Amino acid sequence: MARSWRRSRSRAAAALALALLAGTVASAHRRDEYLQASRIAIGPDRVGIELDLTPGISVADRILADIDADRSGSIGDEEAQLYVSRVAGALSVDVDGAPLAVHVTGSAFPAVEAMRNGEGTIRIAMTAPMPALAGGVHRLHYRNTHRQELSAYLANALVPDSDRVAIGSQDRDVEQRDLVVEYRLRGETVFAVSLWPALAAGLALAGLAVVCRRSINLLA
Amino acid sequence: MRNLFLALLALLGLTFGPARHETQQRGTPGAASEATTRIVAAARGVLTSLDDAGRAKVQFAFDDAAQRTRWSNLPTGIFPRQGLRLGDLTAAQRAAVMTLLEAALSANGYRKVNEIMRGDEMLRTTGGRPGGGAPPRGGPPGGGRGGGPTFGTDEYYLAFLGTPSPTTPWMLQFGGHHLAINLTLAGTQASMTPSLPAAQPATYMFEGKEIRPLGRENDTAFALINALDASQRSQAILNSRVADLVLGPGQDGKTIQPEGIRASALSSAQQTMLLDIVREWAGIVNDAFAAPRMAEIRANLTQTYFAWSGPTTNGSAAYFRVQGPTLVIEYAPQGSVDHIHTIYRDPTNDYGAKLASK
């Protein structure tokens, strides 16, 4: 997995270089794109994902057609839920190659008119529980393939809330569909780490006290 | 002997000359106190110029969280504002608002705000095209209210959160399409984050002159990226396309992991260039408050990062970000060089959080 990612990353870097030379990045315009911005919050026991989806004015009708299945001109609760499920289904998250189950925890849809004007943002919050991980370096791979043919992506790791997690690096493909975050997970807690030496020292002192007491008794 | 005396005088002049003296004065509590006094007087001047209905419109509670975050890059119609709409004011009231902005901002900041608003007026009348044409979709010709997007200098709003005061915290909020100024004042201290200076068109002609509201932001950044050597560039340039602001409107309280080249890996001259970029945002506010803010950013410079995405030839559309412990600046062309969004934040002090809690 890691090797294939490195390979794809090399290809991506080359593609970006070509794109920059050709000036295609500059010629693209967000009005023609479906902006999908992901922010990834890595914690010791879960990954939080915030995904904001903003269709540009030129593609808004296509996205609305995807959502508004009954063509009523409005977005019903069931239609919203179906769409959110479809988006979540296009995401994948794994840690050290082990896939995580992504659960939707909330979503909000803008007014249809705002979306038609290319300025409405759909917000989806998700979470993925982590398996128990040993302390050390881990790699989280996030991938978003929803509506690849017309989307622009942003994917960023947030500064972790927990001081047990420290982000090392972030690697992406050119389009930011893929994000690999290398991070270091520290042990359970500082207290837990220091508990064993403290216990060992305590036991040693207690043992020493017993030996000393016996020695004193013998001398007496 | 006389020459030696003159040389000593010249040296003293260089050391304690007007420019340095001015900079020091601007950063002192005395200068800040003077600035606060002038800003509060100008704010009271606005209130005095209004009738009761106008005062009710402009005034919000300091802890009104909804109003505090009611700002956006979007035009009104799509993103409704509340407060005092410039288009509803008399000429005298409007002049009072502009006098307030002039007092609250530096000369460069005031110029920038005016040019952003004038650019939006151009967008309203020409659709952003030099030769004219239809306004952007959804915008009725000449702008309208209550429907789609509305553009132009009438569509900017002023609000006060809290009562303008020289001692207790209050907030001046001014903005509309492509502009949000959130200035929290607390006695001699101020915070102007989050703020959003943006521009469309990013270049236009006015009275025979070429106007670039965010031209220096663009040019100073291209100057720095082109001053880096190959190894530095490889650290600064991200290998992915960045299509928009990451921490734009609605992203309060979030801090992304910094990326790019760390300023500690820059030469002294390059660090100065980085500060030149930062000053374009930190220096929007009145000089008396910009000076301590720049000093704070300078103190954290070695922990500050510069990241770039896109071509490095000036005139191209490229994204950049400057991020430090108390700073986030993003500059994001919206697919072309003629439509720019930027954001300026202090993750530790947005909306003057540190000042208000004192």
Side-chain angles (χ1 to χ4, degrees):
Chain A
M1 172 63 118
R3 192 176 300 162
S4 72
W5 163 249
R6 274 197 291 275
R7 255 203 317 270
S8 71
R9 187 170 174 251
S10 303
R11 280 199 297 268
L16 178 69
L18 284 171
L20 297 185
L21 283 172
T24 53
V25 169
S27 67
H29 198 294
R30 224 192 26 85
R31 287 175 162 254
D32 308 328
E33 293 168 324
Y34 191 16
L35 182 68
Q36 302 190 35
S38 302
R39 291 172 299 278
I40 313 296
I42 301 177
D45 54 6
R46 60 178 282 280
V47 183
I49 302 162
E50 300 172 348
L51 177 57
D52 294 349
L53 304 114
T54 311
I57 196 165
S58 305
V59 299
D61 287 339
R62 289 162 70 183
I63 302 302
L64 276 166
D66 278 359
I67 304 169
D68 183 18
D70 63 5
R71 304 289 183 268
S72 65
S74 62
I75 301 170
D77 288 347
E78 201 172 312
E79 288 170 331
Q81 274 179 23
L82 270 172
Y83 187 69
V84 167
S85 301
R86 202 183 320 163
V87 173
L91 308 181
S92 64
V93 187
D94 73 63
V95 174
D96 302 331
L100 306 185
V102 176
H103 307 286
V104 175
T105 56
S107 63
F109 280 70
V112 168
E113 192 56 30
M115 281 183 75
R116 285 219 173 90
N117 283 315
E119 305 291 6
T121 298
I122 301 165
R123 298 185 195 281
I124 305 175
M126 289 160 279
T127 188
M130 286 265 203
L133 296 173
V137 175
H138 299 279
R139 289 162 70 89
L140 180 140
H141 182 185
Y142 171 80
R143 183 170 171 77
N144 178 1
T145 57
H146 179 61
R147 295 305 300 258
Q148 292 185 67
E149 74 285 4
L150 48 77
S151 293
Y153 301 87
L154 295 172
N156 284 275
L158 294 170
V159 171
D161 285 336
S162 168
D163 60 6
R164 290 182 56 206
V165 179
I167 306 289
S169 64
Q170 297 182 81
D171 288 319
R172 306 173 181 85
D173 69 330
V174 177
E175 296 299 335
Q176 300 205 34
R177 283 187 204 110
D178 286 280
L179 168 69
V180 172
V181 185
E182 195 169 273
Y183 69 97
R184 178 173 288 279
L185 180 68
R186 280 194 287 271
E188 192 62 23
T189 60
V190 174
F191 173 73
V193 168
S194 58
L195 189 62
W196 290 112
L199 273 175
L203 284 171
L205 278 172
L208 193 64
V210 169
V211 169
C212 286
R213 191 168 177 168
R214 279 184 186 165
S215 303
I216 289 166
N217 288 342
L218 281 172
L219 286 171
Chain B
M1 188 65 186
R2 187 167 175 271
N3 286 345
L4 183 65
F5 178 69
L6 288 174
L8 270 171
L9 272 182
L11 188 64
L12 282 169
L14 280 175
T15 311
F16 301 108
R20 184 169 289 245
H21 180 67
E22 188 182 23
T23 307
Q24 286 171 344
Q25 279 295 304
R26 283 174 182 167
T28 61
S33 175
E34 195 183 306
T36 300
T37 303
R38 277 191 288 118
I39 295 165
V40 171
R44 287 175 177 161
V46 171
L47 292 170
T48 307
S49 77
L50 301 171
D51 58 14
D52 287 347
R55 277 191 286 274
K57 273 186 184 169
V58 78
Q59 194 66 65
F60 295 81
F62 183 68
D63 60 358
D64 187 333
Q67 178 62 21
R68 194 180 296 264
T69 55
R70 194 175 284 129
W71 56 273
S72 170
N73 56 290
L74 302 177
T76 49
I78 295 295
F79 187 92
R81 271 82 174 175
Q82 288 186 22
L84 203 60
R85 179 178 171 267
L86 288 194
D88 294 336
L89 303 182
T90 65
Q93 290 166 336
R94 203 159 167 152
V97 172
M98 297 317 285
T99 299
L100 168 59
L101 291 178
E102 199 168 7
L105 306 179
S106 65
N108 193 35
Y110 186 65
R111 184 236 357 129
K112 209 168 286 193
V113 163
N114 271 294
E115 290 179 356
I116 289 167
M117 292 168 66
R118 199 177 292 135
D120 205 57
E121 183 67 20
M122 186 147 293
L123 193 66
R124 181 180 76 84
T125 54
T126 68
R129 284 174 283 279
R137 178 179 150 183
R145 299 187 71 190
T150 43
F151 304 94
T153 49
D154 282 352
E155 297 298 329
Y156 288 83
Y157 287 71
L158 174 72
F160 298 147
L161 283 80
T163 306
S165 159
T167 51
T168 55
W170 63 287
M171 185 173 154
L172 184 167
Q173 199 174 51
F174 182 79
H177 186 214
H178 282 151
L179 178 67
I181 299 288
N182 294 302
L183 173 61
T184 306
L185 286 146
T188 57
Q189 293 184 293
S191 160
M192 208 202 69
T193 59
S195 284
L196 184 150
Q200 185 190 19
T203 306
Y204 60 88
M205 297 299 290
F206 181 73
E207 294 179 343
K209 285 184 189 164
E210 184 183 74
I211 306 293
R212 297 169 70 214
L214 305 177
R216 281 187 52 79
E217 286 81 345
N218 176 85
D219 295 347
T220 50
F222 272 102
L224 176 55
I225 194 70
N226 282 295
L228 303 184
D229 64 28
S231 163
Q232 290 173 317
R233 277 196 194 199
S234 70
Q235 295 173 67
I237 297 178
L238 308 175
N239 66 347
S240 55
R241 174 189 171 214
V242 185
D244 208 341
L245 300 174
V246 179
L247 294 174
Q251 305 302 331
D252 292 342
K254 290 163 189 165
T255 308
I256 55 172
Q257 187 69 22
E259 292 180 279
I261 187 167
R262 198 166 165 161
S264 53
L266 300 178
S267 70
S268 172
Q270 290 165 339
Q271 289 182 353
T272 301
M273 295 172 89
L274 182 60
L275 288 169
D276 286 344
I277 300 171
V278 172
R279 193 173 291 107
E280 288 304 317
W281 281 267
I284 292 174
V285 74
N286 185 302
D287 295 336
F289 305 119
R293 173 69 172 141
M294 283 301 296
E296 176 189 59
I297 292 165
R298 194 177 289 112
N300 288 321
L301 196 60
T302 55
Q303 299 171 70
T304 300
Y305 292 76
F306 177 63
W308 185 273
S309 170
T312 55
T313 305
N314 199 349
S316 313
Y319 166 95
F320 65 85
R321 182 191 309 151
V322 184
Q323 185 174 356
T326 66
L327 175 71
V328 175
I329 288 171
E330 288 184 273
Y331 179 100
Q334 301 298 291
S336 85
V337 292
D338 208 34
H339 184 179
I340 310 295
H341 289 178
T342 85
I343 191 78
Y344 169 49
R345 288 183 178 275
D346 177 349
T348 69
N349 198 23
D350 272 355
Y351 305 107
K354 281 196 294 201
L355 312 181
S357 64
K358 277 183 182 171

